[in-house]
């Protein structure tokens, strides 16, 4: 017993000696690190005072400090930034669905301002801006070298004022100018309409109105069709949706999932990881679904597309999404400004990160570029003549009036589908796919 106690005591003493031997260098390293940090802060203070005292023009101390803070944050990644009190107020208005500007979501890549997506029905959308466009100049002034916030500041201006932006677009050999009139941007976050017997839900952004707009629109269209039994399926159109509020992306995903994980976020510390699971209830009652995405679908849009894809609840159609798989937390500051800081990455239910990779569609469908019809082609275009157009042609006596009416309705539906293919090929493909899936479901 004495031997055991001595051995234990010896082990304790040895452990104490070992701890002292290890802790000593660690404490010394921490002290050296803190000294280095304090030296750097002293350096910052020295430079700050020299600028205030010796710069060729007088500079406001607040402007210097805000620029230093913004530089510190923007050096981390493209989505971390400082928001002045005015910018913070503008952001709060934007999440409520109404704000002033052009109606484009932009990011910065290697000093260039890149359009993530134009928003539906906004001045930028009406002017023909496209996802992937690069903005190089505003009113003849180059944006190269500016921070993203400074560039966005140049894009903003009084409602009704004109702005000339210079655009570089892939496939176009020369930069070109686009004139846009600034306007108040009022976004309807989600709309619903019926194409044939398919309900198309168009979600343009994820603000605090998104889920309510979408669910109300869906219920209205279902009622118009006479109930869910008459609905062939749902197309969820997330193209050119730049994202927004995470909680709204979760609600939209949950609307069509009965169970399972929707998204997980993982931060710097493992203990801060979070998982969000779906609650029972599917607004579409299991009807076939297609999700449309493209290069302008980012962030919250990718969460929804990834969740529905991983659970095999929907077929994803279109082109690869933008690839923003990080979570930003907006932290209010004492100055009434705010700090937008990247605090986590998000992962789809299968555990994949979308950061820089995007969501790959199950079926790749490119949107063909619109080709303007030449004037002479319009003049030469004549309706095709048929037997029924000939004077004195015989009537078809083998069909009843109801049968003839049904044939006319089917012909009109086919012509409407053909027109949709010309106007929006990706959406037309999705609607056709829903029709095929609904037929399979009926057979089963």
């Amino acid at each position: 017993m004495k031997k055991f106690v001595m051995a234990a005591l010896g082990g304790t003493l040895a452990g104490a000696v070992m701890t002292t031997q290890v802790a000593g260098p660690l404490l010394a390293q921490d002290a050296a690190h803190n000294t280095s940090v304090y030296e750097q802060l002293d350096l910052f203070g020295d430079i700050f005072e020299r600028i205030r005292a010796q710069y060729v023009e007088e500079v406001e101390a607040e402007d210097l400090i805000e620029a230093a803070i913004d530089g510190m944050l923007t050096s981390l990644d493209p989505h971390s930034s400082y928001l002045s009190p005015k910018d913070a107020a503008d952001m709060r208005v934007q999440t409520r669905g109404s704000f002033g500007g052009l109606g484009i979501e932009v990011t910065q890549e290697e000093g260039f301002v890149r359009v993530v997506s134009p928003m539906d029905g906004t001045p930028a959308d009406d002017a023909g801006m496209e996802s992937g466009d690069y903005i190089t100049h505003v009113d003849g002034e180059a944006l190269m070298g500016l921070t993203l916030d400074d560039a966005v500041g140049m894009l903003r201006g009084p409602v009704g004022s004109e702005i000339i932006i210079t655009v570089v677009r892939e496939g176009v050999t020369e930069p070109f100018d686009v004139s846009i009139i600034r306007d108040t941007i009022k976004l309807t976050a989600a709309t619903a309409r019926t194409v044939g017997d398919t309900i198309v839900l168009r979600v343009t952004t994820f603000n605090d109105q998104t889920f309510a707009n979408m669910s109300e629109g869906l219920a209205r269209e279902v009622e118009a069709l006479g109930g869910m039994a008459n609905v062939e399926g749902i197309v969820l159109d997330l193209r050119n949706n730049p994202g927004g509020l995470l909680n709204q992306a979760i609600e939209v995903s949950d609307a069509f999932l009965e169970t399972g994980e929707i998204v997980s976020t993982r931060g710097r510390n493992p203990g801060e990881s979070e998982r969000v699971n779906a609650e029972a209830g599917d607004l579409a009652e299991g009807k076939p679904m297609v999700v449309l995405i493209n290069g302008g679908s980012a962030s919250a849009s990718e969460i929804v597309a990834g969740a529905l894809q991983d659970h095999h609840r929907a077929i994803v159609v279109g082109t690869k999404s933008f690839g923003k798989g990080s979570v930003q937390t907006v932290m209010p500051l004492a100055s009434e400004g705010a700090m937008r800081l990247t605090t986590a990455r998000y992962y789809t239910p299968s555990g994949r990160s979308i950061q820089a990779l995007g969501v790959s569609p199950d079926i790749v469908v490119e949107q063909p570029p619109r080709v303007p019809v030449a004037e002479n082609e319009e003049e030469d275009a004549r309706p095709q003549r048929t037997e029924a157009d000939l004077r004195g042609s015989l009537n078809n006596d083998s069909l009843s009036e109801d049968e003839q009416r049904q044939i006319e309705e089917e012909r009109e539906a086919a012509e409407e589908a053909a027109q949709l293919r010309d106007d929006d090929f990706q959406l037309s493909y999705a609607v056709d796919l829903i029709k095929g899936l609904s037929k399979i479901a009926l057979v089963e």
Side-chain angles (χ1 to χ4, degrees):
M1 185 65 176
K2 287 182 179 179
K3 288 182 180 178
F4 176 79
V5 172
M6 289 299 291
L9 181 60
T12 303
L13 289 172
V17 172
M18 182 67 73
T19 301
T20 303
Q21 290 174 344
V22 173
L26 287 176
L27 291 172
Q29 288 177 12
D30 286 343
H33 176 71
N34 289 336
T35 300
S36 175
V37 171
Y38 293 138
E39 287 175 352
Q40 293 295 315
L41 289 173
D42 286 340
L43 176 62
F44 173 80
D46 183 29
I47 292 172
F48 175 75
E49 290 300 335
R50 291 193 184 193
I51 291 172
R52 291 183 66 192
Q54 300 178 23
Y55 186 65
V56 65
E57 295 178 355
E58 189 173 344
V59 183
E60 291 291 335
E62 288 182 1
D63 293 341
L64 284 176
I65 293 171
E66 284 191 356
I69 293 170
D70 190 51
M72 181 167 53
L73 287 165
T74 55
S75 70
L76 300 174
D77 66 78
H79 308 293
S80 295
S81 63
Y82 170 72
L83 300 172
S84 67
K86 182 181 181 303
D87 290 341
D90 289 345
M91 184 201 66
R92 287 189 288 270
V93 170
Q94 182 169 341
T95 59
R96 291 195 295 269
S98 177
F99 57 97
L102 304 180
I104 48 175
E105 179 82 7
V106 296
T107 187
Q108 197 165 40
E109 291 183 1
E110 299 179 357
F112 294 98
V113 175
R114 182 178 185 269
V115 176
V116 176
S117 63
M119 301 172 188
D120 288 0
T122 61
D125 184 38
D126 294 340
M129 295 297 293
E130 296 181 2
S131 174
D133 284 348
Y134 287 92
I135 301 174
T136 62
H137 294 73
V138 171
D139 291 329
E141 188 172 343
L143 300 184
M144 190 65 174
L146 297 181
T147 66
L148 182 59
D149 286 342
D150 288 340
V152 169
M154 291 181 64
L155 293 171
R156 291 174 180 160
V159 171
S161 61
E162 183 184 20
I163 180 174
I164 306 293
I165 60 176
T166 303
V167 175
V168 173
R169 179 176 295 168
E170 185 177 355
V172 179
T173 55
E174 296 291 334
F176 57 94
D177 290 340
V178 177
S179 171
I180 305 177
I181 305 298
R182 298 180 178 97
D183 198 359
T184 299
I185 310 301
K186 294 181 179 178
L187 292 179
T188 301
T191 57
R193 64 188 176 107
T194 299
V195 177
D197 292 325
T198 297
I199 295 176
V200 178
L201 301 175
R202 170 70 178 138
V203 179
T204 58
T205 188
F206 287 90
N207 60 29
D208 58 10
Q209 305 169 17
T210 301
F211 177 73
N213 286 169
M214 186 195 75
S215 56
E216 289 166 7
L218 175 59
R220 184 178 62 251
E221 296 301 316
V222 170
E223 183 180 0
L225 285 172
M228 190 60 78
N230 297 322
V231 177
E232 288 187 333
I234 308 290
V235 174
L236 182 60
D237 187 354
L238 299 177
R239 291 174 298 175
N240 291 329
N241 182 323
L245 300 177
L246 176 62
N247 69 321
Q248 289 291 306
I250 290 169
E251 285 198 58
V252 169
S253 302
D254 196 3
F256 304 108
L257 293 173
E258 290 281 3
T259 186
E261 183 179 301
I262 294 173
V263 66
S264 63
T265 59
R266 305 176 201 173
R268 180 174 175 178
N269 300 319
E272 296 176 354
S273 298
E274 294 183 6
R275 295 180 183 275
V276 181
N277 294 315
E279 297 179 358
D282 177 359
L283 293 183
E285 299 179 13
K287 291 288 184 176
M289 283 191 69
V290 170
V291 175
L292 280 175
I293 61 171
N294 65 4
S297 306
S299 192
S301 300
E302 294 171 294
I303 289 175
V304 176
L308 297 180
Q309 184 181 53
D310 281 1
H311 284 290
H312 306 292
R313 179 62 188 90
I315 295 175
V316 178
V317 171
T319 54
K320 187 171 73 71
S321 63
F322 184 74
K324 181 183 176 293
S326 59
V327 179
Q328 282 68 47
T329 302
V330 178
M331 306 174 184
L333 301 174
S335 64
E336 296 187 0
M339 174 173 67
R340 187 192 287 117
L341 186 67
T342 301
T343 54
R345 288 182 173 88
Y346 70 74
Y347 296 80
T348 70
S350 64
R352 56 181 169 141
S353 170
I354 293 166
Q355 178 60 30
L357 295 176
V359 174
S360 296
D362 299 305
I363 303 174
V364 175
V365 178
E366 299 277 354
Q367 186 82 309
R370 290 187 177 184
V371 179
V373 178
E375 290 184 7
N376 57 347
E377 290 181 11
E378 290 181 348
E379 293 172 359
D380 293 341
R382 295 184 179 87
Q384 184 178 357
R385 293 176 61 82
T386 67
E387 170 71 16
D389 297 318
L390 299 178
R391 183 180 300 173
S393 62
L394 298 176
N395 294 327
N396 189 317
D397 60 355
S398 66
L399 299 175
S400 67
E401 289 185 5
D402 288 341
E403 289 172 329
Q404 289 183 19
R405 189 181 306 111
Q406 182 178 353
I407 289 175
E408 288 297 327
E409 288 174 354
E410 290 174 352
R411 181 179 295 126
E412 288 175 5
E415 290 173 353
E416 183 181 350
Q419 183 61 47
L420 183 60
R421 278 192 289 275
D422 290 339
D423 295 341
D424 190 339
F425 181 76
Q426 289 175 323
L427 178 58
S428 172
Y429 189 101
V431 171
D432 288 344
L433 186 57
I434 287 288
K435 191 178 293 292
L437 291 171
S438 68
K439 300 296 184 188
I440 294 173
L442 287 173
V443 172
E444 292 177 348

